[in-house]
């Protein structure tokens, strides 16, 4: 069912390290050893070369750390609007011209057919941007900020060895998480350097250290600490899910009774094929849904089965009627530039505290409390 041909070894690598890649001085040796212990024979050089090849062929989007922008600084929100057929390109073009718009998708809905993400360094800027977009397009926009997050874990496994992955996140330096919400200048530089991925060399963390003028041990310790603190969601390979055949992208939306959301959220998030799961606000008369669950499938049939599984799980909590839910399939990617982390990280950076940052990154010194 994959869109690309993969060898057994390539399948094992894709499955093994979509998270939990070791933050160690010789990470590929550690990772290869773990694969061998799981019955997949591979050396460190072969593992590195396999990941390079997958990356070059477009099977991977990148290799590295997935930074949680919401934990780094600033904010982002999901927005929906209507683009009339006769003005569709004009409206979309105007929206995409805003540098704060990071992603934009056309989705199947009789009215709200354009869905985009606004990312800003200052939370107060959200309202200003949305007002500017309304003025520029002449179309009302509907802000759907995240109220509660139940799951964000977009992992796409393929049939083959090591499905479910290997977790080596405990490897590397001993660290202590902190409660700090701001970044030191050195931590900001680290976030900016790794946001696009790590180098595919035998020493990716040392390469980061050289690029930002820091010690390699500090880089490894800070990345591992950020993983513990939630600033980094995971470290590993990031598959191109389209290349792996996951072409059916269904955003299921539900009008969950408000007093049931707290129970429903974890239940839906526990379904392995649900990659994103949030509570968001309704908009009276236009948008009756307050719960979002994203699913991906490798065929129309598989996608329908997964959506039905979500409906069946929902039905355990209340009597779900046909008009209580919908599925919006994406029909076109209109813009995808990624979140501008540099601006958000810089706005959330303290004064120059290089010495303290180095101690906190190594776990040798606790930093002040925060969010």
């Amino acid at each position: 069912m994959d869109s690309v041909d993969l060898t057994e070894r390539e399948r094992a690598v894709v499955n093994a390290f979509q998270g939990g890649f070791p933050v160690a001085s010789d990470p590929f040796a550690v990772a290869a050893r773990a694969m061998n212990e799981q019955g997949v024979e591979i050396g460190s050089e072969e593992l590195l070369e396999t990941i390079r090849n997958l990356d070059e062929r477009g099977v991977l989007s990148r290799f590295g750390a997935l930074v949680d922008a919401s934990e780094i600084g600033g904010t982002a929100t999901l927005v929906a609007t209507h683009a009339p057929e006769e003005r569709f390109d004009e409206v979309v073009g105007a929206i995409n011209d805003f540098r704060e718009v990071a992603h934009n998708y056309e989705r199947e809905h009789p009215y709200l057919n354009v869905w985009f993400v606004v990312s800003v360094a200052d939370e107060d800027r959200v309202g200003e941007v949305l007002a500017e977009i309304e003025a520029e397009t002449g179309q009302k926009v509907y802000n759907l900020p995240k109220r509660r997050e139940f799951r964000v874990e977009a992992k796409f496994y393929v049939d083959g060895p090591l499905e479910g992955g290997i977790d080596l996140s405990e490897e590397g330096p001993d660290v202590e998480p902190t409660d700090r919400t701001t970044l030191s200048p050195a931590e900001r530089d680290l976030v900016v350097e790794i946001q696009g991925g790590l180098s595919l060399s035998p020493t990716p963390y040392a390469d980061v250290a050289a690029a930002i003028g820091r010690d390699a041990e500090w880089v490894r310790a800070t990345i591992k600490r950020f993983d513990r603190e939630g600033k980094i969601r995971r470290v590993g390979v990031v598959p191109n899910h389209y290349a792996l055949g996951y072409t059916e992208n269904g955003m299921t939306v539900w009008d969950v009774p408000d007093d049931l959301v707290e129970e429903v959220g974890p239940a839906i998030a526990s379904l392995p094929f649900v990659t994103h799961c949030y509570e968001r606000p309704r908009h009276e008369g236009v948008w009756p849904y307050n719960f979002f669950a994203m699913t991906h499938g490798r065929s129309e049939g598989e996608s329908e089965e997964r959506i039905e599984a979500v409906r069946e799980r929902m039905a355990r909590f209340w009597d779900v009627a046909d008009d209580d839910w919908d599925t919006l399939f994406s029909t076109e990617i209109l813009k995808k530039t990624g979140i501008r982390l540099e601006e958000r990280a810089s706005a959330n950076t303290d004064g120059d505290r290089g010495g303290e940052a180095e101690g906190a990154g190594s776990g040798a010194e606790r930093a002040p409390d925060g969010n």
Side-chain angles (χ1 to χ4, degrees):
M1 300 174 73
D2 307 328
S3 296
V4 293
D5 290 329
L6 298 173
T7 66
E8 195 79 350
R9 173 180 287 172
E10 288 170 340
R11 290 173 181 275
V13 170
V14 168
N15 286 337
F17 293 116
Q18 292 187 40
F21 194 79
V23 186
S25 58
D26 193 1
F28 292 97
V30 175
R33 185 163 57 249
M35 291 183 72
N36 278 273
E37 291 172 355
Q38 296 286 330
V40 177
E41 293 186 9
I42 192 169
S44 59
E45 293 182 4
E46 293 170 304
L47 173 57
L48 173 57
E49 188 55 39
T50 299
I51 294 176
R52 277 182 185 152
N53 186 264
L54 290 169
D55 184 63
E56 290 169 0
R57 287 158 53 199
V59 178
L60 304 181
S61 296
R62 61 192 176 90
F63 163 74
L66 283 176
V67 178
D68 185 348
S70 66
E71 295 293 325
I72 294 301
T75 192
T77 189
L78 179 67
V79 186
T81 192
H82 173 65
E85 184 178 354
E86 66 277 9
R87 297 183 57 230
F88 187 85
D89 290 343
E90 174 195 344
V91 169
V92 168
I95 292 170
N96 288 350
D97 282 345
F98 282 81
R99 64 193 307 276
E100 294 90 350
V101 172
H103 310 298
N104 194 358
Y105 289 83
E106 180 182 15
R107 290 192 177 275
E108 294 177 344
H109 187 266
Y111 185 68
L112 298 178
N113 57 341
V114 174
W115 293 74
F116 56 96
V117 172
V118 168
S119 171
V120 292
D122 181 356
E123 188 172 353
D124 293 339
R125 177 72 178 134
V126 171
E128 296 172 358
V129 172
L130 297 188
E132 291 168 11
I133 289 175
E134 286 188 336
E136 188 69 26
T137 63
Q139 299 298 126
K140 183 169 177 57
V141 301
Y142 299 90
N143 190 13
L144 296 158
K146 177 176 62 179
R147 285 184 169 167
R148 273 188 285 188
E149 175 185 302
F150 296 102
R151 179 182 178 132
V152 178
E153 190 173 26
K155 293 182 179 179
F156 301 95
Y157 296 115
V158 294
D159 297 332
L162 306 182
E163 189 168 347
I166 299 175
D167 186 3
L168 299 176
S169 57
E170 293 296 326
E171 297 288 340
D174 291 329
V175 297
E176 285 289 334
T178 74
D179 295 326
R180 287 173 49 223
T181 57
T182 57
L183 303 174
S184 72
E187 290 169 341
R188 175 203 56 212
D189 293 345
L190 173 66
V191 167
V192 172
E193 179 65 25
I194 67 175
Q195 67 173 321
L198 297 171
S199 63
L200 284 169
S201 83
T203 55
Y205 307 115
D207 294 347
V208 172
I212 65 173
R214 304 295 296 188
D215 179 76
E217 178 69 11
W218 178 86
V219 166
R220 292 192 296 272
T222 306
I223 290 176
K224 188 174 176 182
R225 176 170 59 83
F226 276 9
D227 181 66
R228 297 288 185 275
E229 294 171 353
K231 294 181 177 69
I232 288 174
R233 292 189 183 275
R234 58 186 181 273
V235 180
V237 300
V238 181
N240 174 353
H241 60 277
Y242 293 106
L244 296 182
Y246 288 89
T247 56
E248 297 294 319
N249 166 349
M251 185 172 75
T252 70
V253 292
W254 308 80
D255 182 13
V256 177
D258 291 334
D259 61 343
L260 294 178
V261 171
E262 192 167 344
E263 292 180 78
V264 167
I268 300 303
S270 69
L271 294 169
F273 49 80
V274 171
T275 60
H276 300 73
C277 189
Y278 305 103
E279 179 189 12
R280 298 185 185 276
R282 303 177 180 90
H283 284 273
E284 188 175 355
V286 178
W287 187 253
Y289 310 110
N290 63 333
F291 192 92
F292 289 60
M294 183 72 72
T295 67
H296 296 264
R298 288 169 289 186
S299 68
E300 187 175 336
E302 183 177 63
S303 182
E304 289 174 354
E305 289 174 4
R306 292 179 169 186
I307 291 168
E308 176 60 20
V310 175
R311 193 200 65 77
E312 290 176 355
R313 182 65 61 90
M314 285 284 186
R316 296 182 184 181
F317 296 89
W318 94 100
D319 186 14
V320 181
D322 288 345
D323 59 358
D324 285 337
W325 69 287
D326 198 358
T327 302
L328 282 63
F329 289 98
S330 62
T331 54
E332 186 178 356
I333 300 173
L334 304 172
K335 181 178 182 179
K336 194 167 185 178
T337 59
I339 301 296
R340 298 178 185 275
L341 270 183
E342 184 169 3
E343 293 176 11
R344 289 174 59 167
S346 294
N348 193 37
T349 298
D350 294 331
D352 191 359
R353 301 189 305 167
E356 178 184 304
E358 195 156 351
S362 67
E365 179 178 334
R366 293 296 301 267
D369 294 341
N371 169 356

